[in-house]
Amino acid sequence: MAIPYMENAIRSVHKSLDQIIKTAEGLSEDIIRKKPSEEEWSIMQILCHVLEVGPYWMGEIEKIKENPQIKWGRGLNDEARLEAVNTTDSQSVSEVLAGLRSLKTELSGRLEKLDEDTLQIEAESKNPNFGTKPVSFIVDHLIVEHIAKHYGQINRNLSKFHINQ
């Protein structure tokens, strides 16, 4: 059984993923793939990023647990991050949505294994803006809040297309 802190994190991630999935399921393929502008991601790119980002940050947590001396994180030009958002034309919406449903189970299983001692481990980020942070920071900001913010990004896209959810 997960500690209460992790139960809350899992519940929040599930809520955000459920909202993302429900919203995307109700959209046409055209809207999902349409970019609001050249600089902004399409909803499909957002979905693919969410599918990649949760496992990425869980992997970073697991590396920190093994060796707190490593630096964690990545920049905006990380190859896996860019590949997730730049290869969306070759992916089907239904497969990505199925992946997001599976992601709920994957993240739950990995998050519930984190204990109080792990959450308190501190490690230095590659990003100088973060500095040294505990694992709980990664859970709170780079998994829970990050996924929730992408639900908000999807809704901003829809508002630009004059679609209300």
Side-chain angles (χ1 to χ4, degrees):
M1 185 173 174
I3 58 174
Y5 173 87
M6 292 316 309
E7 288 175 356
N8 288 334
I10 292 167
R11 208 171 8 262
S12 293
V13 167
H14 280 206
K15 179 182 177 188
S16 295
L17 287 171
D18 286 341
Q19 291 171 318
I20 288 169
I21 292 164
K22 182 179 179 192
T23 299
E25 285 176 332
L27 301 173
S28 69
E29 179 108 6
D30 180 56
I31 292 296
I32 287 175
R33 294 188 182 276
K34 185 176 182 178
K35 293 177 74 167
S37 71
E38 192 54 40
E39 298 80 33
E40 296 173 280
W41 286 352
S42 68
I43 291 171
M44 184 65 164
Q45 288 174 301
I46 297 166
L47 299 176
C48 290
H49 173 66
V50 169
L51 193 55
E52 179 269 339
V53 77
Y56 172 81
W57 288 114
M58 286 306 307
E60 291 295 282
I61 289 170
E62 289 157 4
K63 289 177 192 173
I64 292 168
K65 188 174 178 179
E66 283 182 32
N67 179 6
Q69 303 308 312
I70 67 156
K71 287 189 175 186
W72 57 269
R74 65 182 179 181
L76 296 177
N77 293 320
D78 177 76
E79 190 174 307
R81 180 182 180 275
L82 293 175
E83 183 178 347
V85 298
N86 291 331
T87 60
T88 58
D89 289 343
S90 64
Q91 298 185 49
S92 78
V93 173
S94 62
E95 288 174 355
V96 171
L97 292 175
L100 290 171
R101 286 184 200 93
S102 295
L103 182 61
K104 286 175 56 178
T105 304
E106 177 187 346
L107 289 178
S108 295
R110 292 171 82 176
L111 286 167
E112 69 187 9
K113 292 178 184 173
L114 300 180
D115 58 25
E116 293 286 351
D117 290 339
T118 301
L119 292 169
Q120 294 177 21
I121 296 171
E122 292 191 353
E124 186 179 354
S125 172
K126 293 175 185 174
N127 182 336
N129 293 326
F130 291 152
T132 300
K133 297 289 185 195
V135 166
S136 61
F137 174 86
I138 298 171
V139 171
D140 290 340
H141 299 283
L142 301 173
I143 298 174
V144 175
E145 287 180 16
H146 192 142
I147 293 172
K149 285 181 180 180
H150 284 301
Y151 174 60
Q153 183 182 16
I154 289 168
N155 284 317
R156 283 190 302 280
N157 278 20
L158 293 174
S159 72
K160 292 175 183 178
F161 303 142
H162 306 289
I163 298 172
N164 296 321
Q165 285 292 310

